[in-house]
């Protein structure tokens, strides 16, 4: 019996090749989009799932607020003394591991050509590898990460030692500390679905003992420059542990915090609830966004829904053709149940062909899909049970939903009525078909509106006035390695002086941070000396030389710039500082001039005096996601980042000249340069990726909707062939016939625009809330979207409508 059903279903597909093509292509594209998105979602939710202790691992989060403000979610930063203090008094904590990142220059002293600047290096406690699952393939865990030792990845072992056994070899490191380390083990390359990405592990004890920025101020409680992970006893009460951790913090820092009128608390954040949680500021590691995941899930489901709506629409449109078939079969004794089997089998066959094509698309374009997502998928999609279940669920749901209505409706036709050419009037009103067209194009309106808003926002961010000039600026990291006995700061100063002598170099400046890559000091407390620390404001700070303001074209609206007589930041009291307008207002000064020369205090532990010598017009140091901050510039004579404004008429020669000078002066260092505008623009890489993907999937969804509209227009033109012939004989013109055939579809599209515009506005307004600086969604943009969707609809139906209108009326009247 089923063989018979299958033959009929196959013949039905072949008999109506045009409709079959539209259905299969639409479903295949919709399924492929959905499968690609589910693959991405699976990857995002797999983050850190491979750790054996994943359910017991937590990051300690530190949150705080000034005065009477409510404490909100904080970040993963914590002081170096926190871990040891917690494990002493909280029995539910089994282990702790502190983590601190570095980007040192690493070299193999036995091979002078193997020198690299590493961006993925972590200093950790030895217990780190007992808490997290990063298997060793060489070496003994018990002897690893003792002072002076290192663990490296398989890739790093090949990179530095080739085919030589790396265990027992030496690596020279110049970063937060300068030291030689002996390799004692090799671990498997960290999988891409790990928040923490690293190629090398060094002992945190070495960093604490020798690191230049890790002095034991306040017994290790003053600087929040570590991430502290803890492993809890299974079944522990987290609320109780949060309270105990906060008590430990207050025991060591409570007096200082109370003096500042600053509330602070600690809580344990599950490791598995950090990556997609944009309410937690991450100090290190990869981050994602649950909003982005949800957006793409919705887009994938909408695309599949549009494809299934096409199938249902075309199936019901062909009801009259199939009605006679149903009538004949019923007269010959077919039961309704058998007819439903038949139509479900046709749906299954169509979906099976579409599903096969969709899987082929996914397999064929797997590298392209990985590149689009910016993700190197870590396993074959067919090895993931969750993905396999999702794929076959899509197939089953698509088969059932696409085939349910046609099976129920077509199998219910009465044989006497359909053989006479009569169909129930409620069906003839086509209310469902019209509703589905409205649903399709409502989704299309939302997607087109979303695409336009995303690109307008991206364009706005790229072209907004930053208040600083990044064009034609080359940035160079300062050297990490200098000969023994040579002063590093003095070497940087000599290098800068030599750069200024080069003919193609216009300006040179140094700083300890750069636009687009954060500040040196986040959460710096700043207050007016006469008001006390309890009125402090939170600020961000970095250190610049006297040429920085001029090179980046920052506007000084009061006071003066730094000069060679300025007091270097922290070297003496009071230190000279520059503030931006926002910091001046937040401190309570009415005008920028009022802040000049005013005594201020700054610090997180022992405070020191600072004095404002100049005020800068507000500028954007970070992306449009972040609101304007209270910015402090301190003075330094030789920062670790060197900015060069150069003549771009012969840029390759200029860069080559700078590189030659750098290598001559700093042998053993890696020369690397970036362009300041590209560094700043890299902050929008995720937004650009989101915009590109959104556009691709939205475009495919709209294409599927247009295919469905084309199919309906084709069917409508065929059904009204005789009517068109009569009208042409009576003198109807081609434009009037085109309008006649198109107006019903355009009415549905206009209804879709009216329904979907408020929904699109609401959804995209919520998305824009992620940005501190954003566009406004005006009536003009919505009107443009409406016009665009009308044009798309007209194009979709125009070919069949014009072809039908231009048909010879003699042939039209003979068609029936």
């Amino acid at each position: 019996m089923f063989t018979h059903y299958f033959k009929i279903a196959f013949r039905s597909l072949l008999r109506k090749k045009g409709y079959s093509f539209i259905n299969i292509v639409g479903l295949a594209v919709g399924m492929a989009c959905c499968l690609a998105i589910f693959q991405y979602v699976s990857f995002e939710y797999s983050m850190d799932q491979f750790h054996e202790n994943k359910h017991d691992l937590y990051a300690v989060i530190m949150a705080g607020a000034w005065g009477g403000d409510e404490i909100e979610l904080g970040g993963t930063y914590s002081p170096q003394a926190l871990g040891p203090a917690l494990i002493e008094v909280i029995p539910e904590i089994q282990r702790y591991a502190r983590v601190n990142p570095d980007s040192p220059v690493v070299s193999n002293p036995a091979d002078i050509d193997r020198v690299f600047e590493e961006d993925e290096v972590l200093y950790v406690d030895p217990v780190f590898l007992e808490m997290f699952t990063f298997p060793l393939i060489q070496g003994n865990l018990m002897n690893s990460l003792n002072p002076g030792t290192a663990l490296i990845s398989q890739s790093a072992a090949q990179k530095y030692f080739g085919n030589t056994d790396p265990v027992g070899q030496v690596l020279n490191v110049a970063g937060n500390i300068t030291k030689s380390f002996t390799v004692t083990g090799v671990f498997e390359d960290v999988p891409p679905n790990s928040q923490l990405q690293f190629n090398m592990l060094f002992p945190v004890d070495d960093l604490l003992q020798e690191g230049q920025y890790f002095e034991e101020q306040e017994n290790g409680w003053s600087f929040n420059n570590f991430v502290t992970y803890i492993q809890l006893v299974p079944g522990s009460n987290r609320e109780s542990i949060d309270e105990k951790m906060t008590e430990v913090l207050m025991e060591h820092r409570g007096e200082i915090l109370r003096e500042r009128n600053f509330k602070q608390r600690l809580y344990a954040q599950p490791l598995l609830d950090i990556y997609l949680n944009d309410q937690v500021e991450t100090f290190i590691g990869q981050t994602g966004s649950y909003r982005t995941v949800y957006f793409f899930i919705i887009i994938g489901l909408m695309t599949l829904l549009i494809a299934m709506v096409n199938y249902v629409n075309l199936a019901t449109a062909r009801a009259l053709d199939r009605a006679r078939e149903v009538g004949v079969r019923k007269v010959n004794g077919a039961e309704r149940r058998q007819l439903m089997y038949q139509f479900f089998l046709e749906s299954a066959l169509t979906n099976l062909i579409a599903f096969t094509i969709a899987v082929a698309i996914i397999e064929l374009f797997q590298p392209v899909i990985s590149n689009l997502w910016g993700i190197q998928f870590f396993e074959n999609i067919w090895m993931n049970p969750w993905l396999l279940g999702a794929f076959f669920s899509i197939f089953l749901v698509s088969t059932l939903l696409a085939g349910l209505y046609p099976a129920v409706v077509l199998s219910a036709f009465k044989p006497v009525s359909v053989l006479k050419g009569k169909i129930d009037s409620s069906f003839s009103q086509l209310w469902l078909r019209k509703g589905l067209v409205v649903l399709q194009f409502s989704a299309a309106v939302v997607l087109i509106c979303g695409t336009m808003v995303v690109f307008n926002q991206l364009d706005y961010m790229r072209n907004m006035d930053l208040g600083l000039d990044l064009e034609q600026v080359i940035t160079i990291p300062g050297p990490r390695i200098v000969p023994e006995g040579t002063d590093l700061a003095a070497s940087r100063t000599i290098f800068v002086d030599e750069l200024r002598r080069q003919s193609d170099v216009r300006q040179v400046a140094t700083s300890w941070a750069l636009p687009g890559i954060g500040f040196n000091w986040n959460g710096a407390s700043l207050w007016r000396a006469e008001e006390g620390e309890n009125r402090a404001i939170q600020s961000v700070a970095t250190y610049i030389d006297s040429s920085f303001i001029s090179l980046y074209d920052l506007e000084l609206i009061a006071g003066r710039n730094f000069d060679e007589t300025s007091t270097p930041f922290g070297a003496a009291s009071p230190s000279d500082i520059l503030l931006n307008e926002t910091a001046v207002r937040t401190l309570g000064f009415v005008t920028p001039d009022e802040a000049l020369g005013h005594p201020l205090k700054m610090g997180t532990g022992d405070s020191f005096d600072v004095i404002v010598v100049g005020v800068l017009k507000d500028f954007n140091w970070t992306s449009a996601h972040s609101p304007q901050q209270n910015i402090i510039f301190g003075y330094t004579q030789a920062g670790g980042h060197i900015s060069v404004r150069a003549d771009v008429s012969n840029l390759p020669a200029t860069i080559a000249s700078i590189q030659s000078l750098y290598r001559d002066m700093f042998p053993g260092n890696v020369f690397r340069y970036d362009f300041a505008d590209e560094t700043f623009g890299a902050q929008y890489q995720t937004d650009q990726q989101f915009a590109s993907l959104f556009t691709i999937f939205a475009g495919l969804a709209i294409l599927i909707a247009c295919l469905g509209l084309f199919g309906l227009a084709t069917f409508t033109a065929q059904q009204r062939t005789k009517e068109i012939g009569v009208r042409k004989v009576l003198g109807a013109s081609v434009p009037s016939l085109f309008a006649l055939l198109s107006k019903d579809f355009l009415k549905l599209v206009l209804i879709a625009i009216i329904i979907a515009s408020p929904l699109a506005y609401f959804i995209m307004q919520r998305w824009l809330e992620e940005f501190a600086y954003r566009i406004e969604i005006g009536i003009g943009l919505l009107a443009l979207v409406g016009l665009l969707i009308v044009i798309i609809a007209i194009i979709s139906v125009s070919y069949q409508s014009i072809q039908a209108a231009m048909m010879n009326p003699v042939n039209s009247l003979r068609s029936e």
Side-chain angles (χ1 to χ4, degrees):
M1 179 182 294
F2 280 100
T3 304
H4 176 68
Y5 289 160
F6 178 81
K7 288 180 180 178
I8 294 175
F10 188 72
R11 288 170 182 169
S12 177
L13 291 178
L14 291 178
R15 187 166 60 251
K16 295 291 183 179
K17 295 182 179 65
Y19 294 114
S20 300
F21 176 80
I22 290 172
N23 276 331
I24 290 171
V25 170
L27 284 170
V29 173
M31 287 179 176
C33 289
C34 214
L35 295 179
I37 288 172
F38 276 21
Q39 189 177 6
Y40 160 73
V41 171
S42 173
F43 178 86
E44 293 293 277
Y45 279 107
S46 73
M47 194 63 61
D48 289 322
Q49 293 285 347
F50 61 90
H51 294 298
E52 294 177 3
N53 301 319
K54 60 188 177 184
H55 296 298
D56 301 320
L57 294 176
Y58 298 80
V60 179
I61 304 297
M62 179 173 286
W66 296 99
D69 295 340
E70 291 295 322
I71 296 179
E72 299 179 355
L73 290 174
T76 58
Y77 32 77
S78 58
Q80 64 200 53
L82 179 64
L86 293 179
I87 202 165
E88 283 186 8
V89 297
I90 304 178
E92 294 92 339
I93 297 178
Q94 295 185 72
R95 304 183 180 105
Y96 74 88
R98 295 164 295 182
V99 178
N100 186 275
D102 193 12
S103 300
V105 172
V106 182
S107 59
N108 177 358
D111 189 340
I112 60 173
D113 293 327
R114 297 183 189 263
V115 180
F116 305 96
E117 187 166 349
E118 294 289 346
D119 293 326
E120 297 179 345
V121 168
L122 298 179
Y123 287 89
V124 299
D125 283 299
V127 77
F128 176 82
L129 290 180
E130 296 178 36
M131 295 171 59
F132 296 89
T133 308
F134 297 110
L136 284 180
I137 57 176
Q138 282 185 266
N140 189 330
L141 188 62
M142 299 300 295
N143 299 326
S144 299
L145 293 178
N146 294 322
T149 66
L151 296 174
I152 62 176
S153 67
Q154 289 173 281
S155 297
Q158 181 66 33
K159 181 177 175 181
Y160 285 92
F161 303 107
N163 297 323
T164 306
D165 184 1
V167 175
Q169 303 285 345
V170 174
L171 288 174
N172 290 339
V173 176
N176 284 337
I177 61 175
T178 299
K179 186 172 181 174
S180 295
F181 290 87
T182 301
V183 177
T184 57
V186 178
F187 53 85
E188 291 181 5
D189 286 346
V190 176
N193 62 329
S194 170
Q195 285 183 62
L196 294 175
Q197 292 291 319
F198 53 92
N199 282 319
M200 297 181 178
L201 295 175
F202 298 119
V204 77
D205 287 341
D206 285 309
L207 183 70
L208 296 178
Q209 293 169 12
E210 302 181 39
Q212 55 182 318
Y213 304 114
F214 299 90
E215 297 88 351
E216 286 283 336
Q217 297 186 32
E218 292 186 34
N219 296 317
W221 288 92
S222 58
F223 295 120
N224 300 322
N225 43 21
F226 284 81
V227 178
T228 302
Y229 292 100
I230 56 175
Q231 182 179 344
L232 300 183
V233 174
S236 299
N237 186 318
R238 276 178 51 200
E239 291 185 3
S240 172
I241 292 171
D242 292 347
E243 292 176 1
K244 292 177 181 178
M245 290 197 302
T246 302
E247 289 174 2
V248 171
L249 175 68
M250 297 306 293
E251 178 183 343
H252 291 86
R253 301 212 73 216
E255 184 176 347
I256 292 174
L257 294 175
R258 283 187 289 271
E259 287 176 0
R260 299 177 182 170
N261 196 24
F262 188 75
K263 295 187 296 185
Q264 203 163 46
R265 71 181 179 94
L266 301 177
Y267 63 92
Q269 183 76 21
L271 178 70
L272 300 181
D273 190 25
I274 295 176
Y275 175 72
L276 291 177
N277 192 339
D278 54 14
Q279 297 298 307
V280 175
E281 183 181 354
T282 54
F283 179 41
I284 57 174
Q286 299 185 95
T287 58
S289 170
Y290 73 92
R291 287 189 178 91
T292 301
V293 171
Y294 291 166
F295 255 101
F296 281 120
I297 289 175
I298 292 171
I299 291 173
L301 295 177
M302 286 174 66
T303 306
L304 185 61
L305 178 63
I306 288 172
M308 289 190 291
V309 165
N310 273 356
Y311 184 94
V312 175
N313 256 345
L314 292 175
T316 54
R318 291 183 58 206
L320 184 59
D321 291 343
R322 303 302 300 273
R324 293 187 178 90
E325 175 193 336
V326 171
V328 171
R329 290 168 66 101
K330 280 196 170 184
V331 167
N332 285 296
E335 299 178 1
R336 185 179 184 186
R337 171 176 54 84
Q338 293 173 314
L339 293 171
M340 291 182 70
Y341 288 159
Q342 172 67 53
F343 291 120
F344 269 123
L345 187 60
E346 287 185 18
S347 173
L349 180 59
T350 303
N351 277 272
L352 180 61
I353 296 171
F355 183 75
T356 304
I357 294 172
V359 171
I361 292 172
I362 292 294
E363 283 290 321
L364 184 61
F365 291 98
Q366 187 66 223
V368 177
I369 293 170
S370 295
N371 186 56
L372 284 172
W373 290 119
I375 293 170
Q376 185 60 48
F377 294 113
F378 59 96
E379 64 179 356
N380 189 294
I381 57 176
W382 307 114
M383 300 298 291
N384 187 323
W386 189 93
L387 271 179
L388 285 175
F391 286 5
F392 288 107
S393 295
I394 289 173
F395 169 70
L396 291 175
V397 169
S398 180
T399 299
L400 291 173
L401 291 182
L404 180 63
Y405 186 81
V408 171
V409 171
L410 296 179
S411 65
F413 289 160
K414 296 178 181 179
V416 175
S417 299
V418 296
L419 291 176
K420 289 181 179 181
K422 298 177 181 179
I423 300 179
D424 184 70
S425 60
S426 64
F427 180 76
S428 65
Q429 294 174 4
L430 306 176
W431 60 270
L432 176 65
R433 196 190 314 165
K434 293 180 179 179
L436 292 177
V437 171
V438 170
L439 177 62
Q440 273 188 318
F441 277 85
S442 294
V445 169
V446 172
L447 292 173
I448 291 178
C449 184
T451 301
M452 294 185 70
V453 168
V454 168
F455 271 97
N456 282 348
Q457 174 64 22
L458 194 60
D459 182 67
Y460 171 78
M461 292 189 299
R462 284 175 169 171
N463 296 299
M464 65 185 291
D465 183 10
L466 299 176
L468 43 78
D469 184 7
L470 303 175
E471 298 295 327
Q472 303 177 14
V473 176
I474 302 168
T475 61
I476 306 165
R480 299 290 190 88
I481 303 170
V482 293
E484 188 175 350
T486 302
D487 183 74
L488 184 59
S491 297
R492 282 196 295 263
T493 301
I494 295 171
F495 178 67
V496 167
D497 290 339
E498 290 295 326
L499 282 176
R500 289 182 174 134
R501 294 190 180 97
Q502 297 204 4
S503 58
D504 292 336
V505 172
R506 297 176 180 175
Q507 292 175 289
V508 184
T510 68
S511 61
W512 282 107
L514 293 171
I517 57 173
F519 295 88
N520 300 104
W521 189 353
N522 294 289
S525 299
L526 181 69
W527 65 96
R528 297 167 70 152
E530 72 274 14
E531 292 183 345
E533 194 173 355
N534 62 343
R535 297 291 301 276
I537 66 170
Q538 275 203 304
S539 310
V540 289
T542 194
Y543 322 116
I544 64 175
D545 68 8
S546 57
S547 302
F548 189 90
I549 300 299
S550 173
L551 186 144
Y552 282 98
D553 199 23
L554 294 168
E555 184 178 345
L556 198 65
I557 58 175
R560 62 174 177 84
N561 186 15
F562 296 132
D563 56 34
E564 302 305 322
T565 65
S566 295
T567 306
F569 194 73
S573 187
S575 298
D576 295 343
I577 62 170
L578 302 174
L579 298 179
N580 68 338
E581 291 176 282
T582 296
V584 168
R585 285 194 299 269
T586 310
L587 285 167
F589 295 111
V590 178
T591 65
D593 289 310
E594 186 182 339
L596 298 178
H598 200 98
L600 304 176
K601 286 186 175 292
M602 184 176 175
T604 55
D606 296 331
S607 63
F608 54 93
D609 296 326
V610 293
I611 188 167
V612 181
V613 298
V615 178
L616 297 165
K617 184 179 179 180
D618 277 342
F619 54 91
N620 289 88
W621 188 271
T622 53
S623 77
H625 286 272
S626 304
Q628 185 62 251
Q629 296 171 290
N630 302 312
I631 298 176
I632 305 169
F633 282 150
Y635 176 64
T636 184
Q637 293 176 332
H641 291 280
I642 301 161
S643 299
V644 180
R645 184 174 294 281
D647 184 355
V648 296
S649 60
N650 192 13
L651 192 58
T654 301
I655 292 174
S657 176
I658 295 173
Q659 180 178 6
S660 176
L661 175 63
Y662 186 93
R663 288 180 172 174
D664 287 344
M665 291 190 63
F666 309 116
N669 287 272
V670 178
F671 176 77
R672 182 166 59 86
Y673 70 92
D674 297 287
F675 294 99
D677 55 348
E678 293 180 359
T679 300
F680 194 90
Q683 297 176 103
Y684 299 123
Q685 182 177 353
T686 302
D687 298 305
Q688 177 63 60
Q689 183 186 68
F690 176 80
S692 299
L693 287 165
F694 194 102
T695 303
I696 290 170
F697 289 119
L700 291 173
I702 293 164
L703 173 64
I704 296 169
C706 291
L707 277 175
L709 201 59
F710 176 82
L712 287 177
T714 303
F715 180 82
T716 301
Q718 291 175 353
Q719 292 296 103
R720 302 181 71 174
T721 299
K722 187 173 183 179
E723 175 192 347
I724 293 168
V726 172
R727 288 179 180 274
K728 289 199 75 173
V729 169
L730 295 175
S733 64
V734 171
S736 65
L737 290 173
F738 172 75
L740 175 71
L741 293 172
S742 303
K743 67 179 183 180
D744 289 338
F745 293 114
L746 293 181
K747 287 178 183 177
L748 299 179
V749 171
L750 290 173
I751 293 171
I753 292 170
I754 294 171
I755 292 173
S757 293
L759 179 62
Y761 176 86
F762 173 77
I763 292 173
M764 298 316 299
Q765 196 65 37
R766 289 292 301 273
W767 179 75
L768 286 171
E769 289 176 2
E770 295 185 17
F771 301 90
Y773 301 90
R774 52 182 177 263
I775 63 170
E776 294 294 331
I777 304 176
I779 190 68
L781 186 143
L782 295 175
L784 181 60
V785 170
L787 177 62
L788 187 59
I789 203 74
V790 167
I791 292 172
I792 290 173
I794 291 174
I795 293 172
S796 300
V797 302
S798 61
Y799 174 77
Q800 287 298 333
S801 299
I802 293 173
Q803 187 181 52
M806 295 180 68
M807 186 181 294
N808 190 323
V810 175
N811 296 331
S812 301
L813 294 173
R814 283 177 177 174
S815 66
E816 297 190 16

